[in-house]
Amino acid sequence: MYVAKMLKSLTLVILLVLIMPLAASGEEPAGRGEEVVISLEPEEVKKIEELPQIEVVAVPEETPTSTIIKKEEIDLGYYQTLSGAFEDQAGVDLTRQSLLGRNNRQVSIRGLDESRSQINLNGRSIKSTGVMGGYYVDWSMIPLQDIERVEIIRGAQSAAYGDTLGGVINIITSKGSKVPKVALDASYGSWDTQTYRFSHSYGFGPVLYAVGAGHGKSSGYLRNNYVDRWDVNGSLTVECPWDLSLTVAARYSALENGMIVENRDYLPFFRPNEPRGDYNYLGGPGLAFIGGAKNFGDNSHVFNQRTELDFSILKKLGTGEVELKYFFNQESRLDKFYALDDRNKLICQRGAGCDDTWGWNFKCRQTINNFPWLDKVPVSFGLEGIYNGYGGSAYEFIDPTYFRVLPTDGSGIKNAAKLQSGYVDTTLPLATFMELYLGLRYDNYVASPNINPDSKLFVYGINKDGLVPKSTLT
């Protein structure tokens, strides 16, 4: 009953948002009915035709709690992955084990990692799922050459984002352009770290496109922490009549990353010429090795492949625009463990479906003109659904002499967690130096019952609702 009342309230607010812009846009434009004739001489027409094309791109303004990182800063920087671009940002901390490779919970905003922040790509979440994905963002699989800009929002600001105690990182990818653009980038650094990037965008009439490719590799700082990465990306935008545009984008990344081998003085096969450090599987679930010499060693690695697809429809409507998006993520991982006492001896091989997620969102942004006492007031509302899943794990080879407990296959769940949300918000300009933000967000979270792959215990499902009001005076 309580949830039904919340949904009715949210529906009423959304209907008001839809009606108010239509009423505000019913004014007669100034000068209607008057015929204006402009005549130009041939020379003047020729001058107008020779004017170069001008591309206008809207970029959000920075606020005291937000930062915009532009494409030029990323291209000219020394960054090997996107997370490296956050190194000099206030309130953002990094924990890394390599410049190019994977790492669990790598970026923190105001002390809170990705599990308590929102990481969005073109307005939708890119956080992985379940034990197989580790609930972290694999920053190494985001191609730098495909990024147009990044917005960092610190703290819980807007009702448009849920679960944002730390903040929000919005990643906007490149689209086609009216004028041709080409970029080439190469870098070389310590531990034989190399990166190469290429991007190009252009268009023909109403069809705009952008393509890119990148490659990076490194021998790594820690023991067996080598990286070899390839990625490609592309997008196609068609500008249709009636102020409508359609965009389809795709990204593919492949990464081979060595698993960090524990290197301590008291351990067998210790290497004094390499840094001391602890091991890292780079993915789950964990394995019960006997220990000592009966452990995984050099040459052990993971091979990840990730594919992302995005479809969007953007339509100018009333005093603003509406946008509908659909997305799909899929990531697979192949783990190969080699013996510590023989780097050429394979002791375990398994495949895992890290991520099998899809979702959609709808957003409407309008501006109410001539609002009493406030002039122009922006209003927006949105609905979204995110359905996280994973594909389970399958062991293709096991040498039982290296394990205390033999691992077993794990099943996947298509829609392991479902998040369905809606929000409405507005900003009221109270004065030239002051504005009031008001927002309301509803979330429904459903988690399917499952078997924990580590403890083998049954985990009950969850079905929770939440209604969160937000208000900020700046």
Side-chain angles (χ1 to χ4, degrees), residues 406-459:
L406 291 181
T408 58
D409 295 350
S411 60
I413 303 178
K414 177 63 177 177
N415 295 318
K418 306 174 186 177
L419 179 64
Q420 300 175 105
S421 311
Y423 75 91
V424 59
D425 66 0
T426 184
T427 301
L428 305 177
L430 303 181
T432 56
F433 58 88
M434 183 186 302
E435 61 183 21
L436 175 65
Y437 172 82
L438 298 172
L440 182 67
R441 182 179 180 87
Y442 167 76
D443 290 298
N444 171 246
Y445 178 78
V446 179
S448 301
N450 62 89
I451 303 296
N452 186 294
D454 289 322
S455 64
K456 306 301 180 184
L457 297 177
F458 177 79
V459 180

Short mmCIF file of all heavy atoms in Angstrom, two decimals, residues 406-459:
data_model
loop_
_atom_site.label_atom_id
_atom_site.label_comp_id
_atom_site.label_asym_id
_atom_site.label_seq_id
_atom_site.Cartn_x
_atom_site.Cartn_y
_atom_site.Cartn_z
N LEU A 406 38.69 -29.20 -4.52
CA LEU A 406 38.52 -29.06 -5.96
C LEU A 406 37.38 -28.08 -6.27
O LEU A 406 36.29 -28.20 -5.71
CB LEU A 406 38.22 -30.42 -6.60
CG LEU A 406 39.37 -31.43 -6.61
CD1 LEU A 406 38.92 -32.72 -7.30
CD2 LEU A 406 40.60 -30.85 -7.31
N PRO A 407 37.62 -27.13 -7.16
CA PRO A 407 36.55 -26.19 -7.53
C PRO A 407 35.51 -26.86 -8.41
O PRO A 407 35.79 -27.85 -9.09
CB PRO A 407 37.31 -25.10 -8.29
CG PRO A 407 38.51 -25.78 -8.85
CD PRO A 407 38.88 -26.85 -7.87
N THR A 408 34.30 -26.32 -8.39
CA THR A 408 33.20 -26.85 -9.19
C THR A 408 32.60 -25.73 -10.04
O THR A 408 32.74 -24.55 -9.73
CB THR A 408 32.11 -27.47 -8.30
OG1 THR A 408 31.64 -26.47 -7.38
CG2 THR A 408 32.65 -28.66 -7.53
N ASP A 409 31.91 -26.15 -11.09
CA ASP A 409 31.27 -25.17 -11.98
C ASP A 409 30.18 -24.40 -11.24
O ASP A 409 29.57 -24.91 -10.29
CB ASP A 409 30.65 -25.87 -13.19
CG ASP A 409 31.70 -26.53 -14.08
OD1 ASP A 409 32.91 -26.26 -13.85
OD2 ASP A 409 31.32 -27.29 -14.98
N GLY A 410 29.95 -23.17 -11.70
CA GLY A 410 28.89 -22.34 -11.13
C GLY A 410 27.93 -21.89 -12.21
O GLY A 410 28.35 -21.60 -13.34
N SER A 411 26.66 -21.84 -11.88
CA SER A 411 25.65 -21.43 -12.86
C SER A 411 25.49 -19.92 -12.87
O SER A 411 25.78 -19.24 -11.88
CB SER A 411 24.31 -22.09 -12.55
OG SER A 411 23.87 -21.71 -11.25
N GLY A 412 25.05 -19.38 -13.98
CA GLY A 412 24.82 -17.96 -14.11
C GLY A 412 23.35 -17.62 -13.94
O GLY A 412 22.48 -18.49 -13.95
N ILE A 413 23.07 -16.34 -13.79
CA ILE A 413 21.70 -15.84 -13.66
C ILE A 413 21.53 -14.70 -14.64
O ILE A 413 22.29 -13.72 -14.62
CB ILE A 413 21.40 -15.37 -12.23
CG1 ILE A 413 21.64 -16.50 -11.23
CG2 ILE A 413 19.96 -14.89 -12.12
CD1 ILE A 413 21.40 -16.10 -9.78
N LYS A 414 20.54 -14.79 -15.51
CA LYS A 414 20.34 -13.78 -16.55
C LYS A 414 20.03 -12.42 -15.96
O LYS A 414 20.68 -11.43 -16.27
CB LYS A 414 19.20 -14.23 -17.47
CG LYS A 414 18.85 -13.23 -18.55
CD LYS A 414 20.01 -12.99 -19.50
CE LYS A 414 19.62 -12.04 -20.63
NZ LYS A 414 20.75 -11.74 -21.53
N ASN A 415 19.02 -12.33 -15.09
CA ASN A 415 18.66 -11.06 -14.46
C ASN A 415 18.84 -11.19 -12.95
O ASN A 415 17.87 -11.27 -12.20
CB ASN A 415 17.22 -10.67 -14.81
CG ASN A 415 17.04 -10.39 -16.29
OD1 ASN A 415 17.88 -9.75 -16.92
ND2 ASN A 415 15.96 -10.89 -16.87
N ALA A 416 20.09 -11.25 -12.53
CA ALA A 416 20.39 -11.48 -11.11
C ALA A 416 19.92 -10.33 -10.24
O ALA A 416 19.49 -10.53 -9.10
CB ALA A 416 21.90 -11.68 -10.93
N ALA A 417 20.01 -9.11 -10.75
CA ALA A 417 19.57 -7.93 -10.00
C ALA A 417 18.85 -6.98 -10.94
O ALA A 417 19.33 -6.72 -12.04
CB ALA A 417 20.75 -7.25 -9.34
N LYS A 418 17.71 -6.47 -10.50
CA LYS A 418 16.91 -5.55 -11.32
C LYS A 418 16.73 -4.25 -10.56
O LYS A 418 16.36 -4.25 -9.38
CB LYS A 418 15.54 -6.15 -11.63
CG LYS A 418 15.59 -7.53 -12.26
CD LYS A 418 14.18 -8.10 -12.39
CE LYS A 418 14.21 -9.54 -12.88
NZ LYS A 418 12.85 -10.13 -12.96
N LEU A 419 16.99 -3.16 -11.23
CA LEU A 419 16.79 -1.84 -10.65
C LEU A 419 15.91 -1.03 -11.58
O LEU A 419 16.28 -0.76 -12.72
CB LEU A 419 18.12 -1.12 -10.44
CG LEU A 419 18.03 0.29 -9.85
CD1 LEU A 419 17.45 0.24 -8.43
CD2 LEU A 419 19.40 0.97 -9.83
N GLN A 420 14.71 -0.66 -11.10
CA GLN A 420 13.77 0.14 -11.88
C GLN A 420 13.49 1.42 -11.12
O GLN A 420 13.16 1.38 -9.93
CB GLN A 420 12.49 -0.67 -12.15
CG GLN A 420 12.78 -1.94 -12.92
CD GLN A 420 11.56 -2.82 -13.10
OE1 GLN A 420 10.98 -2.89 -14.16
NE2 GLN A 420 11.17 -3.51 -12.04
N SER A 421 13.66 2.55 -11.80
CA SER A 421 13.65 3.84 -11.11
C SER A 421 12.89 4.89 -11.90
O SER A 421 12.67 4.76 -13.11
CB SER A 421 15.09 4.32 -10.88
OG SER A 421 15.90 3.32 -10.31
N GLY A 422 12.54 5.96 -11.20
CA GLY A 422 11.95 7.14 -11.82
C GLY A 422 12.30 8.37 -11.00
O GLY A 422 12.50 8.28 -9.78
N TYR A 423 12.42 9.50 -11.66
CA TYR A 423 12.77 10.72 -10.93
C TYR A 423 12.13 11.93 -11.61
O TYR A 423 11.74 11.89 -12.78
CB TYR A 423 14.28 10.92 -10.88
CG TYR A 423 14.88 11.41 -12.18
CD1 TYR A 423 15.03 12.78 -12.44
CD2 TYR A 423 15.28 10.51 -13.18
CE1 TYR A 423 15.55 13.23 -13.65
CE2 TYR A 423 15.79 10.95 -14.38
CZ TYR A 423 15.93 12.31 -14.61
OH TYR A 423 16.43 12.76 -15.80
N VAL A 424 12.03 13.01 -10.84
CA VAL A 424 11.60 14.30 -11.36
C VAL A 424 12.38 15.37 -10.60
O VAL A 424 12.62 15.23 -9.39
CB VAL A 424 10.07 14.50 -11.20
CG1 VAL A 424 9.65 14.41 -9.75
CG2 VAL A 424 9.64 15.83 -11.80
N ASP A 425 12.84 16.40 -11.29
CA ASP A 425 13.58 17.46 -10.60
C ASP A 425 13.45 18.79 -11.33
O ASP A 425 13.02 18.85 -12.49
CB ASP A 425 15.05 17.08 -10.41
CG ASP A 425 15.82 16.97 -11.72
OD1 ASP A 425 15.22 17.18 -12.79
OD2 ASP A 425 17.02 16.65 -11.68
N THR A 426 13.81 19.84 -10.62
CA THR A 426 13.78 21.19 -11.19
C THR A 426 14.76 22.06 -10.42
O THR A 426 15.17 21.73 -9.30
CB THR A 426 12.37 21.80 -11.09
OG1 THR A 426 12.35 23.08 -11.72
CG2 THR A 426 11.94 21.98 -9.64
N THR A 427 15.17 23.16 -11.04
CA THR A 427 16.03 24.15 -10.40
C THR A 427 15.35 25.50 -10.46
O THR A 427 15.04 25.99 -11.55
CB THR A 427 17.40 24.22 -11.09
OG1 THR A 427 18.03 22.93 -11.04
CG2 THR A 427 18.31 25.22 -10.40
N LEU A 428 15.11 26.11 -9.31
CA LEU A 428 14.41 27.39 -9.22
C LEU A 428 15.42 28.52 -9.02
O LEU A 428 16.11 28.55 -8.00
CB LEU A 428 13.42 27.38 -8.06
CG LEU A 428 12.38 26.23 -8.06
CD1 LEU A 428 11.52 26.30 -6.81
CD2 LEU A 428 11.54 26.28 -9.31
N PRO A 429 15.54 29.45 -9.97
CA PRO A 429 16.46 30.60 -9.81
C PRO A 429 15.84 31.65 -8.89
O PRO A 429 15.10 32.52 -9.33
CB PRO A 429 16.63 31.10 -11.24
CG PRO A 429 15.36 30.72 -11.94
CD PRO A 429 14.88 29.46 -11.29
N LEU A 430 16.17 31.57 -7.61
CA LEU A 430 15.57 32.48 -6.64
C LEU A 430 16.11 33.89 -6.77
O LEU A 430 15.42 34.87 -6.48
CB LEU A 430 15.82 31.96 -5.22
CG LEU A 430 15.31 30.54 -4.93
CD1 LEU A 430 15.61 30.16 -3.49
CD2 LEU A 430 13.82 30.44 -5.21
N ALA A 431 17.36 34.03 -7.20
CA ALA A 431 17.99 35.34 -7.39
C ALA A 431 19.15 35.15 -8.36
O ALA A 431 19.46 34.03 -8.77
CB ALA A 431 18.49 35.91 -6.06
N THR A 432 19.79 36.25 -8.75
CA THR A 432 20.92 36.15 -9.68
C THR A 432 22.09 35.39 -9.07
O THR A 432 22.93 34.87 -9.80
CB THR A 432 21.39 37.55 -10.09
OG1 THR A 432 21.70 38.30 -8.90
CG2 THR A 432 20.30 38.27 -10.88
N PHE A 433 22.14 35.32 -7.76
CA PHE A 433 23.24 34.66 -7.06
C PHE A 433 22.80 33.42 -6.29
O PHE A 433 23.59 32.84 -5.53
CB PHE A 433 23.90 35.64 -6.09
CG PHE A 433 22.93 36.21 -5.06
CD1 PHE A 433 22.72 35.55 -3.87
CD2 PHE A 433 22.23 37.37 -5.34
CE1 PHE A 433 21.82 36.06 -2.94
CE2 PHE A 433 21.34 37.89 -4.40
CZ PHE A 433 21.13 37.23 -3.20
N MET A 434 21.56 32.99 -6.46
CA MET A 434 21.05 31.89 -5.65
C MET A 434 20.04 31.07 -6.43
O MET A 434 19.20 31.60 -7.16
CB MET A 434 20.40 32.42 -4.37
CG MET A 434 19.91 31.35 -3.41
SD MET A 434 19.00 32.06 -2.01
CE MET A 434 20.26 33.14 -1.33
N GLU A 435 20.11 29.73 -6.30
CA GLU A 435 19.13 28.85 -6.91
C GLU A 435 18.86 27.67 -5.99
O GLU A 435 19.71 27.25 -5.21
CB GLU A 435 19.59 28.36 -8.28
CG GLU A 435 20.87 27.58 -8.29
CD GLU A 435 21.31 27.19 -9.70
OE1 GLU A 435 20.86 27.85 -10.65
OE2 GLU A 435 22.10 26.24 -9.83
N LEU A 436 17.64 27.14 -6.12
CA LEU A 436 17.19 26.04 -5.27
C LEU A 436 16.90 24.83 -6.14
O LEU A 436 16.10 24.89 -7.08
CB LEU A 436 15.92 26.44 -4.50
CG LEU A 436 15.27 25.34 -3.65
CD1 LEU A 436 16.20 24.92 -2.51
CD2 LEU A 436 13.92 25.81 -3.10
N TYR A 437 17.57 23.72 -5.83
CA TYR A 437 17.35 22.47 -6.56
C TYR A 437 16.38 21.61 -5.76
O TYR A 437 16.54 21.41 -4.55
CB TYR A 437 18.66 21.70 -6.76
CG TYR A 437 18.44 20.33 -7.33
CD1 TYR A 437 18.26 20.14 -8.70
CD2 TYR A 437 18.37 19.21 -6.49
CE1 TYR A 437 18.03 18.88 -9.23
CE2 TYR A 437 18.14 17.95 -7.00
CZ TYR A 437 17.97 17.79 -8.37
OH TYR A 437 17.73 16.54 -8.87
N LEU A 438 15.37 21.07 -6.43
CA LEU A 438 14.40 20.17 -5.81
C LEU A 438 14.29 18.91 -6.66
O LEU A 438 14.16 18.99 -7.89
CB LEU A 438 13.02 20.83 -5.71
CG LEU A 438 12.92 22.09 -4.85
CD1 LEU A 438 11.55 22.73 -5.01
CD2 LEU A 438 13.20 21.76 -3.39
N GLY A 439 14.35 17.74 -6.03
CA GLY A 439 14.26 16.49 -6.76
C GLY A 439 13.61 15.40 -5.94
O GLY A 439 13.60 15.44 -4.70
N LEU A 440 13.04 14.43 -6.63
CA LEU A 440 12.40 13.28 -5.99
C LEU A 440 12.73 12.05 -6.82
O LEU A 440 12.55 12.04 -8.05
CB LEU A 440 10.89 13.49 -5.90
CG LEU A 440 10.09 12.39 -5.20
CD1 LEU A 440 10.44 12.35 -3.71
CD2 LEU A 440 8.59 12.61 -5.38
N ARG A 441 13.18 10.98 -6.16
CA ARG A 441 13.58 9.75 -6.86
C ARG A 441 12.95 8.53 -6.19
O ARG A 441 12.94 8.42 -4.96
CB ARG A 441 15.10 9.60 -6.89
CG ARG A 441 15.56 8.35 -7.65
CD ARG A 441 17.07 8.23 -7.71
NE ARG A 441 17.46 7.04 -8.44
CZ ARG A 441 17.62 6.97 -9.75
NH1 ARG A 441 17.42 8.06 -10.48
NH2 ARG A 441 17.96 5.85 -10.35
N TYR A 442 12.47 7.62 -7.04
CA TYR A 442 11.91 6.35 -6.57
C TYR A 442 12.74 5.21 -7.16
O TYR A 442 13.04 5.20 -8.36
CB TYR A 442 10.45 6.20 -6.99
CG TYR A 442 9.93 4.78 -6.80
CD1 TYR A 442 9.60 4.31 -5.54
CD2 TYR A 442 9.80 3.93 -7.89
CE1 TYR A 442 9.14 3.02 -5.36
CE2 TYR A 442 9.33 2.63 -7.73
CZ TYR A 442 9.01 2.18 -6.46
OH TYR A 442 8.57 0.89 -6.29
N ASP A 443 13.13 4.23 -6.33
CA ASP A 443 13.89 3.06 -6.77
C ASP A 443 13.23 1.79 -6.27
O ASP A 443 12.77 1.72 -5.11
CB ASP A 443 15.33 3.11 -6.23
CG ASP A 443 16.17 4.19 -6.89
OD1 ASP A 443 16.36 4.13 -8.11
OD2 ASP A 443 16.62 5.09 -6.16
N ASN A 444 13.19 0.79 -7.15
CA ASN A 444 12.75 -0.54 -6.78
C ASN A 444 13.88 -1.52 -7.13
O ASN A 444 14.26 -1.63 -8.30
CB ASN A 444 11.47 -0.93 -7.51
CG ASN A 444 11.12 -2.40 -7.30
OD1 ASN A 444 11.15 -3.20 -8.24
ND2 ASN A 444 10.80 -2.78 -6.07
N TYR A 445 14.43 -2.19 -6.12
CA TYR A 445 15.56 -3.09 -6.31
C TYR A 445 15.12 -4.52 -6.02
O TYR A 445 14.57 -4.82 -4.95
CB TYR A 445 16.72 -2.70 -5.39
CG TYR A 445 17.92 -3.62 -5.48
CD1 TYR A 445 18.80 -3.52 -6.55
CD2 TYR A 445 18.14 -4.60 -4.52
CE1 TYR A 445 19.90 -4.37 -6.65
CE2 TYR A 445 19.23 -5.44 -4.60
CZ TYR A 445 20.10 -5.33 -5.67
OH TYR A 445 21.17 -6.19 -5.77
N VAL A 446 15.38 -5.42 -6.96
CA VAL A 446 15.03 -6.83 -6.81
C VAL A 446 16.27 -7.66 -7.10
O VAL A 446 16.87 -7.53 -8.17
CB VAL A 446 13.89 -7.24 -7.78
CG1 VAL A 446 13.58 -8.73 -7.61
CG2 VAL A 446 12.65 -6.41 -7.52
N ALA A 447 16.67 -8.51 -6.16
CA ALA A 447 17.81 -9.43 -6.34
C ALA A 447 17.29 -10.86 -6.27
O ALA A 447 16.57 -11.23 -5.34
CB ALA A 447 18.86 -9.19 -5.26
N SER A 448 17.65 -11.67 -7.25
CA SER A 448 17.18 -13.06 -7.32
C SER A 448 17.89 -13.92 -6.28
O SER A 448 19.07 -13.68 -5.96
CB SER A 448 17.44 -13.64 -8.71
OG SER A 448 16.80 -12.87 -9.70
N PRO A 449 17.22 -14.92 -5.73
CA PRO A 449 17.91 -15.87 -4.83
C PRO A 449 18.98 -16.64 -5.60
O PRO A 449 18.83 -16.90 -6.80
CB PRO A 449 16.78 -16.79 -4.36
CG PRO A 449 15.71 -16.65 -5.40
CD PRO A 449 15.80 -15.26 -5.92
N ASN A 450 20.06 -16.98 -4.93
CA ASN A 450 21.15 -17.67 -5.62
C ASN A 450 22.00 -18.46 -4.62
O ASN A 450 21.79 -18.36 -3.41
CB ASN A 450 22.04 -16.66 -6.37
CG ASN A 450 22.71 -15.67 -5.44
OD1 ASN A 450 23.81 -15.92 -4.94
ND2 ASN A 450 22.05 -14.53 -5.17
N ILE A 451 22.95 -19.20 -5.16
CA ILE A 451 23.91 -19.95 -4.35
C ILE A 451 25.24 -19.22 -4.38
O ILE A 451 25.80 -18.97 -5.45
CB ILE A 451 24.10 -21.39 -4.87
CG1 ILE A 451 22.75 -22.13 -4.91
CG2 ILE A 451 25.09 -22.14 -3.99
CD1 ILE A 451 22.11 -22.33 -3.56
N ASN A 452 25.77 -18.84 -3.21
CA ASN A 452 27.06 -18.17 -3.14
C ASN A 452 28.14 -19.10 -3.67
O ASN A 452 28.32 -20.21 -3.15
CB ASN A 452 27.37 -17.75 -1.70
CG ASN A 452 28.64 -16.93 -1.59
OD1 ASN A 452 29.73 -17.42 -1.86
ND2 ASN A 452 28.50 -15.68 -1.19
N PRO A 453 28.90 -18.69 -4.72
CA PRO A 453 29.89 -19.60 -5.33
C PRO A 453 31.06 -19.93 -4.42
O PRO A 453 31.73 -20.94 -4.62
CB PRO A 453 30.35 -18.83 -6.57
CG PRO A 453 30.06 -17.40 -6.27
CD PRO A 453 28.84 -17.39 -5.41
N ASP A 454 31.33 -19.10 -3.41
CA ASP A 454 32.45 -19.38 -2.49
C ASP A 454 32.01 -20.25 -1.32
O ASP A 454 32.61 -21.28 -1.02
CB ASP A 454 33.05 -18.06 -1.98
CG ASP A 454 33.82 -17.34 -3.07
OD1 ASP A 454 34.49 -18.01 -3.87
OD2 ASP A 454 33.76 -16.10 -3.13
N SER A 455 30.93 -19.83 -0.63
CA SER A 455 30.48 -20.57 0.56
C SER A 455 29.52 -21.70 0.23
O SER A 455 29.26 -22.56 1.08
CB SER A 455 29.79 -19.60 1.52
OG SER A 455 28.62 -19.05 0.93
N LYS A 456 28.97 -21.73 -1.01
CA LYS A 456 27.99 -22.73 -1.44
C LYS A 456 26.70 -22.67 -0.61
O LYS A 456 25.95 -23.65 -0.53
CB LYS A 456 28.58 -24.14 -1.38
CG LYS A 456 29.89 -24.30 -2.14
CD LYS A 456 29.74 -23.96 -3.61
CE LYS A 456 31.05 -24.12 -4.36
NZ LYS A 456 30.93 -23.70 -5.78
N LEU A 457 26.44 -21.52 0.02
CA LEU A 457 25.24 -21.35 0.83
C LEU A 457 24.16 -20.65 0.02
O LEU A 457 24.44 -19.84 -0.86
CB LEU A 457 25.56 -20.54 2.09
CG LEU A 457 26.56 -21.17 3.06
CD1 LEU A 457 26.83 -20.21 4.22
CD2 LEU A 457 26.04 -22.51 3.58
N PHE A 458 22.89 -20.96 0.35
CA PHE A 458 21.76 -20.33 -0.33
C PHE A 458 21.60 -18.89 0.15
O PHE A 458 21.67 -18.62 1.37
CB PHE A 458 20.48 -21.12 -0.05
CG PHE A 458 19.25 -20.51 -0.66
CD1 PHE A 458 18.97 -20.69 -2.01
CD2 PHE A 458 18.38 -19.76 0.11
CE1 PHE A 458 17.84 -20.12 -2.58
CE2 PHE A 458 17.25 -19.19 -0.45
CZ PHE A 458 16.97 -19.37 -1.80
N VAL A 459 21.41 -17.98 -0.78
CA VAL A 459 21.22 -16.56 -0.46
C VAL A 459 19.81 -16.16 -0.88
O VAL A 459 19.42 -16.34 -2.04
CB VAL A 459 22.25 -15.67 -1.19
CG1 VAL A 459 22.03 -14.20 -0.84
CG2 VAL A 459 23.67 -16.09 -0.82
#
